[in-house]
Each structure stands twice: as structure tokens, then as C-alpha cells.
Amino acid sequence: FSSKSRCTILVMPLTLTQLEDIRADALAEDVQIDLKRMANWTEEQAATFFENGGEEEHEVTAWLRQKDLVKYEGAFRYRCDSLATVQQLVKESRAAIDQNT
């Protein structure tokens, strides 16, 4: 392989049956399946969608995951009205931790 070679990973699309199983595992039978849109998702993306009641990953969750802080989602997502508020709280929390160390 040269440094200019590209590697393409082919992923099999999710089937309707797989999506129905993932939805059932999330106890989200009331959430509609859009096979055309969802077929190329990963199983994790589909599970997140169904667990969120039909929403793709919430912007707060996505940002916390990016910062490796997703374990604190419950402390932030449901008590803050926006991503900007969460970002400010995290900044303030980190500043307080830095002052105490």
C-alpha cells in the first residue's frame, strides 16, 4: 500500500428486522422506523435514536461525548436549557477544579 492508498470499509445496511429488534430492545415501539434514512446507521446510532424517543443524539450528549464527559450527561442535559449553558458550567467546573489542585 502506498501512502496515497485509501481503505474503504463496507458496512452492510441495517435491515428492517434489525431495526425492529433494536427498537423493541429500547421499548420504543411508538417510534417510527424510516428504513431509507436509517439503513446506513450503525446499531449504536439506531439504539441511541430509539432510546431518545425518536431523536438523534442530543447536541448536549454529542458535545459531552466529544469531551469524554458523557458520564455526566444526567447532571447537565436535563438541568440546562441549552448547549451554551452546559459549556459554561463545564468551563466553570474545570476552573474550580484547577484552583483546588
Side-chain angles (χ1 to χ4, degrees), residues 65-96:
R65 183 180 313 287
Q66 188 179 52
K67 300 294 181 185
D68 198 27
L69 297 170
V70 77
K71 62 186 170 189
Y72 301 111
E73 178 187 18
F76 291 114
R77 180 172 170 197
Y78 302 103
R79 79 173 229 224
C80 300
D81 60 352
S82 70
L83 176 57
T85 304
V86 171
Q87 291 170 330
Q88 184 62 36
L89 281 172
V90 168
K91 183 178 177 182
E92 291 169 3
S93 297
R94 285 187 170 163

Side-chain angles (χ1 to χ4, degrees), residues 15-82:
T15 65
L16 179 58
T17 301
Q18 288 173 304
L19 288 166
E20 288 171 337
D21 289 344
I22 295 167
R23 179 177 65 179
D25 289 344
L27 304 174
E29 282 78 13
D30 59 322
V31 177
Q32 297 296 312
I33 293 174
D34 180 349
L35 184 59
K36 188 174 183 178
R37 187 177 113 209
M38 301 165 78
N40 292 315
W41 287 1
T42 64
E43 289 184 18
E44 183 179 284
Q45 287 172 303
T48 297
F49 176 79
F50 291 121
E51 289 165 1
N52 285 337
E55 292 181 21
E56 293 183 47
E57 188 170 65
H58 192 276
E59 67 178 358
V60 169
T61 305
W63 185 80
L64 290 169
R65 183 180 313 287
Q66 188 179 52
K67 300 294 181 185
D68 198 27
L69 297 170
V70 77
K71 62 186 170 189
Y72 301 111
E73 178 187 18
F76 291 114
R77 180 172 170 197
Y78 302 103
R79 79 173 229 224
C80 300
D81 60 352
S82 70

